[in-house]
Amino acid sequence: MGKLDEYHHRVFRAVHVERKRLMKDDDIIAWAAANGLDKAKFLETWNSFGVQTRLKRLSQLADAYKVSGTPTVVIDGKYVVSPDAVRQANKIQDVGQLMTATGQVLDALVSKAAASK
């Protein structure tokens, strides 16, 4: 619908600040309509071949990379990193240390992937 810049922060806020569970089609559609999107146009876009194909592909990618939670980052199709994986590998309990360590792992893997190009 060409609304990414306008709605990205709203979706982020709904999920991460307001703790809205936007996991089911009906919940997503209701949220979109309640937040100013034309429901008929949203449904037309949501049910389009392109969107449905991308949603199916997303599920396939999550399965292929064995994504078990969010956030999970895949770097260059080779490296899969999540805070939980970093926590388990390093036995980190402090959230601040975990976020710092996860950032360091991500930076190192991005550098490694870039160097191999």
Side-chain angles (χ1 to χ4, degrees):
M1 293 179 68
K3 304 270 186 184
L4 178 63
D5 289 342
E6 185 179 350
Y7 279 86
H8 183 263
H9 73 281
R10 292 182 191 189
V11 173
F12 185 91
R13 179 175 176 72
V15 172
H16 297 288
V17 176
E18 299 167 11
R19 303 282 188 207
K20 301 241 185 241
R21 302 278 302 162
L22 300 178
M23 301 296 288
K24 297 179 182 172
D25 288 3
D26 289 344
D27 295 334
I28 295 166
I29 293 162
W31 182 90
N35 281 274
L37 291 169
D38 180 278
K39 186 174 181 178
K41 287 181 183 177
F42 184 83
L43 279 169
E44 180 182 332
T45 302
W46 183 257
N47 292 317
S48 70
F49 177 78
V51 169
Q52 291 304 308
T53 300
R54 287 184 182 137
L55 288 171
K56 287 178 186 160
R57 182 69 181 132
L58 175 62
S59 179
Q60 293 168 345
L61 285 171
D63 289 344
Y65 287 113
K66 296 175 178 51
V67 174
S68 61
T70 58
T72 297
V73 178
V74 179
I75 300 165
D76 198 30
K78 299 178 200 173
Y79 310 109
V80 181
V81 181
S82 69
D84 190 52
V86 173
R87 181 188 57 76
Q88 289 178 13
N90 297 284
K91 310 288 189 256
I92 299 172
Q93 296 302 317
D94 179 77
V95 174
Q97 289 175 346
L98 177 59
M99 292 301 109
T100 298
T102 302
Q104 291 169 340
V105 170
L106 290 168
D107 288 344
L109 291 174
V110 167
S111 294
K112 183 176 182 178
S116 68
K117 298 267 178 203

